[in-house]
Amino acid sequence: MGRSTLAIIAGLIFTVVASLGIDELFHALKVYPPHGAPMPEPSLNLLALSYRLVVDTAGCYIAARLAPAQPMKHALILGGIGTVLGIAGVVVAVMMRLDPLWYPILLAASSMPTAWLGGYLFVRRAAV
């Protein structure tokens, strides 16, 4: 149980730190507007979505890689956590009237597919 929990936490920490780190890099490079300023441009939201899909997949790969058994199950549990957090993000975006709304919706909707992909990539690699 302990190693399973640590595997999922490690994947989650990687996902959060990598996503926020890339966000900070784009703020520092002035690709993104300053903190607190709206970011309604579709191209910038697509950029954020694109690297988050990669980071989410990698985080679920890490959870699967560190799992003591059933790697796909661990990746999908992390995907479920991502879905719950993503839905919370949609609720916040609706309540705060943040645009574009499609961005948090796609983040929430992509959590399970990226989890499956991360788990699949590990299982496929481990089988070779």
Side-chain angles (χ1 to χ4, degrees), residues 7 11 18 24 33 44-45 71 77-79 83 88 90 95 97 105 125:
E24 286 304 313
L44 295 180
N45 286 281
I77 288 170
L78 183 53
T83 300
V90 172
M95 290 173 57
R97 299 177 188 223
I105 291 171
R125 182 173 180 257

Side-chain angles (χ1 to χ4, degrees), residues 11-31:
L12 180 62
I13 288 171
F14 170 83
T15 301
V16 170
V17 170
S19 295
L20 294 178
I22 295 169
D23 287 349
E24 286 304 313
L25 176 65
F26 284 137
H27 281 292
L29 295 173
K30 302 204 185 306
V31 173

Side-chain angles (χ1 to χ4, degrees), residues 51-72:
Y51 66 76
R52 281 202 160 81
L53 293 174
V54 174
V55 168
D56 290 352
T57 301
C60 291
Y61 179 95
I62 290 168
R65 169 70 180 86
L66 297 176
Q70 299 178 314
M72 183 61 82

